[in-house]
Amino acid sequence: MHKSILYIFLIPLLFLASCDSGEESVPVSSEVSFSIRAPKAETGGNASEIATPAGDNELINTWWMAFADQSGIVRLILERDAAKTNPVEMEEFSATLDRGTYTVYSFANIRPENLGLEFRLGEKVPAGVDASPEWVSATAPHAWSAGKLVPMSGRQTVTVTQQVTQPFAVEVVRMVAKMEFFFSNATDSDMRINQMWLRPMGKGAVDLFPSYHLLGSAPALRSDADTVTIRRGFDKVLPAGGERAVSDIFYVLESQADRADGKGHPTGHYVVLLDVTRRDGVAGKSVRDTISMLTPDLTYINRNDYIRIPVRMADHVVKMDVKFYPPIGGYPAVVNEEKGSDYFISFGTQGVFVITPLMREGVAGAPWMQPSDMDIRVVKVEDPAGILERTVSYDTRTGEITGELNSRTGNAIVTLSVAVKGSQLSYQRKIYIIRED
């Protein structure tokens, strides 16, 4: 995200007056020259990706400023000429101020009355404006499309003196962060992204003005700041073998994935879920799948951040190899059935079972990966019928999931996360364990 900086250059106007004894001094005014510009952004995420240039909605389209003296009286109000409609990176203008110290309240792409604030010349600044007032987004964070004007705000103290040149820089910081996903498809067939979910994203109120010393670090969230799962519903086709073929840009509120109040995520990172339609590398038919991803280098999002996340889609075949060890005299009956991302395994007696997850790339001739190349995790075990004699566990040394069935009948569900190490992409699978008579 690009920071808009308001540079103020003070050029005193000298007044000559007689110095008669007892005459009160004449206030010294200064002609104040301003220069607004938007320098290049410092970005987060994967630096190897090429940043998308700032859109017109991220530049300065409108601006509004109020100067208040030390008693809180508004002495000057400036705003952009309505005839100027072009978005700019820099614009110059000037006005006159008496010598003294002022608090500058500045806004771009949004008017203070839209924030519930009313500045009047010669009157006190709005009540509470210096007590970290909140700004509540009028719409859901993801409603900001690439074309909607991005609001900015800033507050800083400046002192006008009689120096010949006296520059000031007031940053007008964007109140939201920009996120850009780059999707590429490394498989040998087209892939469709149906939906995307992100959590835990910011929701509700944020401070109206930025904390300049915290920019580039974890934000100081308000006590009432909440989180939400954002759903991005779209229909994007990724061409086979394409690199950075499709991108998605939107805006979000500041947030933290690692929160002590339980509103974050247990991993301390953001989670991305992708609902995709892909070609099954074995059966050759179209299947719908859910792919999950953790953002390993992203634990917080601050206002004015520009977060770029590359997602390389690699189609993988995931299968389950099942072995069953019934007691002496039992029948080693095992029936496997696969439906999309669900596996159904039926057992006809009690005993120990061993499930080995297998994975390979979804191209012809690709070898099965070694357990050391995969990251397997048992996410959840549901056993309402109580058919498991002992809990299901995964052994990282052998790459095997083991469990034991008792004499009861019914169903249990084991949810697995199967990932390729180093890819940050994982496939979630459900194994339905069916204990029949």
Side-chain angles (χ1 to χ4, degrees):
M1 186 71 73
H2 306 266
K3 295 180 182 178
S4 294
I5 296 184
L6 172 64
Y7 284 95
I8 307 174
F9 300 94
L10 305 182
I11 307 173
L13 294 179
L14 301 181
F15 292 84
L16 299 179
S18 60
C19 298
D20 294 338
S21 177
E23 183 180 8
E24 294 185 359
S25 59
V26 179
V28 177
S29 297
S30 295
E31 181 180 343
V32 187
S33 295
F34 302 87
S35 176
I36 293 180
R37 71 181 183 91
K40 292 183 179 180
E42 294 182 2
T43 58
N46 192 323
S48 65
E49 296 293 338
I50 299 175
T52 300
D56 287 349
N57 64 310
E58 297 170 20
L59 300 178
I60 299 170
N61 292 261
T62 65
W63 53 260
W64 194 98
M65 300 175 61
F67 290 75
D69 61 19
Q70 289 183 291
S71 63
I73 302 299
V74 178
R75 298 300 182 185
L76 177 65
I77 293 178
L78 299 172
E79 60 183 308
R80 193 184 193 204
D81 188 343
K84 296 181 178 181
T85 58
N86 59 311
V88 296
E89 292 185 355
M90 183 174 68
E91 185 170 279
E92 296 182 351
F93 53 96
S94 62
T96 301
L97 275 172
D98 290 341
R99 184 175 59 188
T101 299
Y102 300 88
T103 300
V104 185
Y105 305 90
S106 50
F107 307 93
N109 296 343
I110 191 169
R111 294 189 62 85
E113 54 262 34
N114 299 133
L115 302 169
L117 302 174
E118 188 174 3
F119 290 86
R120 294 178 180 273
L121 196 63
E123 297 183 6
K124 283 275 191 179
V125 297
V129 73
D130 289 317
S132 298
E134 68 178 27
W135 170 63
V136 180
S137 59
T139 58
H142 57 284
W144 269 291
S145 65
K148 185 167 182 175
L149 294 182
V150 175
M152 313 177 201
S153 65
R155 178 179 58 188
Q156 187 165 326
T157 300
V158 299
T159 301
V160 179
T161 68
Q162 290 179 281
Q163 296 179 16
V164 176
T165 59
Q166 190 178 2
F168 294 98
V170 178
E171 289 186 346
V172 184
V173 180
R174 286 161 183 81
M175 298 157 72
V176 294
K178 176 181 179 181
M179 295 198 76
E180 182 169 14
F181 279 77
F182 297 91
F183 299 101
S184 61
N185 179 8
T187 72
D188 57 1
S189 62
D190 290 353
M191 184 179 295
R192 184 184 302 275
I193 304 179
N194 305 305
Q195 299 178 85
M196 178 171 66
W197 294 269
L198 297 94
R199 60 185 174 95
M201 309 306 291
K203 174 187 177 183
V206 298
D207 285 340
L208 174 61
F209 296 113
S211 297
Y212 293 98
H213 65 286
L214 290 179
L215 296 178
S217 61
L221 299 178
R222 298 178 64 89
S223 60
D224 56 350
D226 206 349
T227 58
V228 66
T229 297
I230 289 180
R231 175 185 172 273
R232 298 280 296 167
F234 46 70
D235 187 3
K236 295 179 181 291
V237 176
L238 305 180
E243 291 295 331
R244 203 183 300 116
V246 175
S247 66
D248 186 44
I249 298 175
F250 54 99
Y251 301 92
V252 297
L253 298 178
E254 60 191 25
S255 61
Q256 289 190 45
D258 185 9
R259 292 179 54 159
D261 58 6
K263 294 181 179 180
H265 191 268
T267 64
H269 299 270
Y270 294 91
V271 177
V272 182
L273 293 176
L274 295 173
D275 174 17
V276 303
T277 301
R278 60 179 179 83
R279 183 183 67 82
D280 188 303
V282 174
K285 61 182 180 180
S286 178
V287 297
R288 194 155 179 169
D289 206 352
T290 300
I291 301 174
S292 64
M293 178 182 69
L294 285 178
T295 56
D297 300 320
L298 185 65
T299 58
Y300 63 84
I301 298 173
N302 209 334
R303 66 181 69 199
N304 209 50
D305 283 348
Y306 180 6
I307 309 298
R308 295 169 294 155
I309 300 179
V311 179
R312 180 177 181 270
M313 307 296 292
D315 193 10
H316 290 85
V317 176
V318 180
K319 296 184 70 67
M320 301 294 161
D321 179 51
V322 183
K323 293 182 175 61
F324 185 45
Y325 304 95
I328 296 175
Y331 299 93
V334 177
V335 179
N336 292 331
E337 183 182 3
E338 179 181 350
K339 293 182 179 179
S341 60
D342 296 335
Y343 296 86
F344 299 85
I345 307 175
S346 300
F347 301 89
T349 185
Q350 64 191 81
V352 176
F353 60 85
V354 177
I355 303 173
T356 304
L358 302 173
M359 178 185 287
R360 65 173 174 81
E361 289 191 359
V363 294
W368 295 104
M369 297 179 183
Q370 297 297 315
S372 58
D373 297 327
M374 298 186 296
D375 186 6
I376 310 295
R377 185 167 58 91
V378 177
V379 178
K380 184 193 300 184
V381 178
E382 301 169 79
D383 183 22
I387 66 173
L388 297 173
E389 183 67 20
R390 58 187 173 92
T391 187
V392 175
S393 61
Y394 176 71
D395 190 328
T396 57
R397 296 178 299 102
T398 63
E400 296 175 339
I401 297 169
T402 59
E404 184 175 357
L405 297 172
N406 56 35
S407 59
R408 296 187 182 94
T409 59
N411 302 335
I413 303 174
V414 178
T415 304
L416 298 180
S417 173
V418 184
V420 181
K421 286 186 178 179
S423 71
Q424 302 303 328
L425 287 177
S426 65
Y427 297 83
Q428 194 165 95
R429 295 291 185 265
K430 283 190 175 182
I431 302 176
Y432 291 82
I433 298 175
I434 305 169
R435 171 69 169 86
E436 300 176 324
D437 289 329

PDB file of all heavy atoms in Angstrom, residues 84-96:
ATOM      1  N   LYS A  84     -10.789  20.032  -9.537  1.00  0.00           N
ATOM      2  CA  LYS A  84      -9.707  19.074  -9.775  1.00  0.00           C
ATOM      3  C   LYS A  84     -10.214  17.674  -9.454  1.00  0.00           C
ATOM      4  O   LYS A  84     -10.456  17.335  -8.302  1.00  0.00           O
ATOM      5  CB  LYS A  84      -8.494  19.405  -8.902  1.00  0.00           C
ATOM      6  CG  LYS A  84      -7.857  20.754  -9.228  1.00  0.00           C
ATOM      7  CD  LYS A  84      -6.654  21.006  -8.341  1.00  0.00           C
ATOM      8  CE  LYS A  84      -5.996  22.329  -8.694  1.00  0.00           C
ATOM      9  NZ  LYS A  84      -4.806  22.588  -7.846  1.00  0.00           N
ATOM     10  N   THR A  85     -10.375  16.868 -10.459  1.00  0.00           N
ATOM     11  CA  THR A  85     -10.941  15.531 -10.285  1.00  0.00           C
ATOM     12  C   THR A  85      -9.946  14.424 -10.596  1.00  0.00           C
ATOM     13  O   THR A  85     -10.267  13.246 -10.421  1.00  0.00           O
ATOM     14  CB  THR A  85     -12.176  15.362 -11.175  1.00  0.00           C
ATOM     15  OG1 THR A  85     -11.806  15.590 -12.548  1.00  0.00           O
ATOM     16  CG2 THR A  85     -13.274  16.342 -10.772  1.00  0.00           C
ATOM     17  N   ASN A  86      -8.758  14.790 -11.069  1.00  0.00           N
ATOM     18  CA  ASN A  86      -7.798  13.747 -11.420  1.00  0.00           C
ATOM     19  C   ASN A  86      -7.069  13.250 -10.181  1.00  0.00           C
ATOM     20  O   ASN A  86      -6.679  14.040  -9.313  1.00  0.00           O
ATOM     21  CB  ASN A  86      -6.777  14.292 -12.422  1.00  0.00           C
ATOM     22  CG  ASN A  86      -6.026  15.484 -11.877  1.00  0.00           C
ATOM     23  OD1 ASN A  86      -6.633  16.420 -11.367  1.00  0.00           O
ATOM     24  ND2 ASN A  86      -4.709  15.459 -11.964  1.00  0.00           N
ATOM     25  N   PRO A  87      -6.891  11.941 -10.040  1.00  0.00           N
ATOM     26  CA  PRO A  87      -6.105  11.410  -8.917  1.00  0.00           C
ATOM     27  C   PRO A  87      -4.643  11.787  -9.076  1.00  0.00           C
ATOM     28  O   PRO A  87      -4.103  11.767 -10.185  1.00  0.00           O
ATOM     29  CB  PRO A  87      -6.316   9.899  -9.018  1.00  0.00           C
ATOM     30  CG  PRO A  87      -6.680   9.657 -10.442  1.00  0.00           C
ATOM     31  CD  PRO A  87      -7.398  10.880 -10.912  1.00  0.00           C
ATOM     32  N   VAL A  88      -3.992  12.162  -7.982  1.00  0.00           N
ATOM     33  CA  VAL A  88      -2.624  12.669  -8.056  1.00  0.00           C
ATOM     34  C   VAL A  88      -1.718  11.963  -7.070  1.00  0.00           C
ATOM     35  O   VAL A  88      -2.158  11.437  -6.054  1.00  0.00           O
ATOM     36  CB  VAL A  88      -2.581  14.191  -7.778  1.00  0.00           C
ATOM     37  CG1 VAL A  88      -3.340  14.962  -8.841  1.00  0.00           C
ATOM     38  CG2 VAL A  88      -3.128  14.498  -6.383  1.00  0.00           C
ATOM     39  N   GLU A  89      -0.435  11.965  -7.400  1.00  0.00           N
ATOM     40  CA  GLU A  89       0.592  11.547  -6.459  1.00  0.00           C
ATOM     41  C   GLU A  89       1.162  12.750  -5.724  1.00  0.00           C
ATOM     42  O   GLU A  89       1.692  12.620  -4.629  1.00  0.00           O
ATOM     43  CB  GLU A  89       1.716  10.817  -7.194  1.00  0.00           C
ATOM     44  CG  GLU A  89       1.300   9.479  -7.774  1.00  0.00           C
ATOM     45  CD  GLU A  89       2.453   8.738  -8.395  1.00  0.00           C
ATOM     46  OE1 GLU A  89       3.553   9.320  -8.457  1.00  0.00           O
ATOM     47  OE2 GLU A  89       2.263   7.590  -8.821  1.00  0.00           O
ATOM     48  N   MET A  90       1.062  13.952  -6.344  1.00  0.00           N
ATOM     49  CA  MET A  90       1.561  15.160  -5.708  1.00  0.00           C
ATOM     50  C   MET A  90       0.747  16.361  -6.180  1.00  0.00           C
ATOM     51  O   MET A  90       0.383  16.453  -7.355  1.00  0.00           O
ATOM     52  CB  MET A  90       3.039  15.376  -6.037  1.00  0.00           C
ATOM     53  CG  MET A  90       3.621  16.596  -5.325  1.00  0.00           C
ATOM     54  SD  MET A  90       5.404  16.776  -5.566  1.00  0.00           S
ATOM     55  CE  MET A  90       5.462  17.156  -7.311  1.00  0.00           C
ATOM     56  N   GLU A  91       0.452  17.239  -5.243  1.00  0.00           N
ATOM     57  CA  GLU A  91      -0.276  18.463  -5.580  1.00  0.00           C
ATOM     58  C   GLU A  91       0.167  19.569  -4.637  1.00  0.00           C
ATOM     59  O   GLU A  91       0.341  19.339  -3.437  1.00  0.00           O
ATOM     60  CB  GLU A  91      -1.777  18.221  -5.471  1.00  0.00           C
ATOM     61  CG  GLU A  91      -2.617  19.410  -5.925  1.00  0.00           C
ATOM     62  CD  GLU A  91      -4.080  19.040  -6.038  1.00  0.00           C
ATOM     63  OE1 GLU A  91      -4.447  18.457  -7.072  1.00  0.00           O
ATOM     64  OE2 GLU A  91      -4.836  19.317  -5.087  1.00  0.00           O
ATOM     65  N   GLU A  92       0.357  20.776  -5.150  1.00  0.00           N
ATOM     66  CA  GLU A  92       0.837  21.901  -4.350  1.00  0.00           C
ATOM     67  C   GLU A  92      -0.245  22.952  -4.186  1.00  0.00           C
ATOM     68  O   GLU A  92      -1.042  23.192  -5.096  1.00  0.00           O
ATOM     69  CB  GLU A  92       2.064  22.526  -5.012  1.00  0.00           C
ATOM     70  CG  GLU A  92       3.262  21.587  -5.080  1.00  0.00           C
ATOM     71  CD  GLU A  92       4.476  22.243  -5.704  1.00  0.00           C
ATOM     72  OE1 GLU A  92       4.324  23.366  -6.236  1.00  0.00           O
ATOM     73  OE2 GLU A  92       5.559  21.644  -5.658  1.00  0.00           O
ATOM     74  N   PHE A  93      -0.271  23.570  -3.018  1.00  0.00           N
ATOM     75  CA  PHE A  93      -1.197  24.660  -2.741  1.00  0.00           C
ATOM     76  C   PHE A  93      -0.628  25.452  -1.573  1.00  0.00           C
ATOM     77  O   PHE A  93       0.365  25.052  -0.958  1.00  0.00           O
ATOM     78  CB  PHE A  93      -2.610  24.138  -2.425  1.00  0.00           C
ATOM     79  CG  PHE A  93      -2.639  23.098  -1.340  1.00  0.00           C
ATOM     80  CD1 PHE A  93      -2.912  23.439  -0.032  1.00  0.00           C
ATOM     81  CD2 PHE A  93      -2.378  21.773  -1.642  1.00  0.00           C
ATOM     82  CE1 PHE A  93      -2.938  22.486   0.963  1.00  0.00           C
ATOM     83  CE2 PHE A  93      -2.403  20.804  -0.655  1.00  0.00           C
ATOM     84  CZ  PHE A  93      -2.685  21.162   0.651  1.00  0.00           C
ATOM     85  N   SER A  94      -1.226  26.574  -1.260  1.00  0.00           N
ATOM     86  CA  SER A  94      -0.683  27.422  -0.190  1.00  0.00           C
ATOM     87  C   SER A  94      -1.804  28.150   0.534  1.00  0.00           C
ATOM     88  O   SER A  94      -2.921  28.269   0.036  1.00  0.00           O
ATOM     89  CB  SER A  94       0.313  28.434  -0.759  1.00  0.00           C
ATOM     90  OG  SER A  94      -0.330  29.291  -1.677  1.00  0.00           O
ATOM     91  N   ALA A  95      -1.468  28.639   1.760  1.00  0.00           N
ATOM     92  CA  ALA A  95      -2.390  29.429   2.572  1.00  0.00           C
ATOM     93  C   ALA A  95      -1.553  30.220   3.562  1.00  0.00           C
ATOM     94  O   ALA A  95      -0.320  30.168   3.534  1.00  0.00           O
ATOM     95  CB  ALA A  95      -3.391  28.531   3.277  1.00  0.00           C
ATOM     96  N   THR A  96      -2.203  30.974   4.439  1.00  0.00           N
ATOM     97  CA  THR A  96      -1.490  31.805   5.406  1.00  0.00           C
ATOM     98  C   THR A  96      -1.882  31.423   6.825  1.00  0.00           C
ATOM     99  O   THR A  96      -3.060  31.261   7.131  1.00  0.00           O
ATOM    100  CB  THR A  96      -1.797  33.294   5.166  1.00  0.00           C
ATOM    101  OG1 THR A  96      -1.409  33.650   3.836  1.00  0.00           O
ATOM    102  CG2 THR A  96      -1.041  34.153   6.155  1.00  0.00           C
TER     103      THR A  96
END
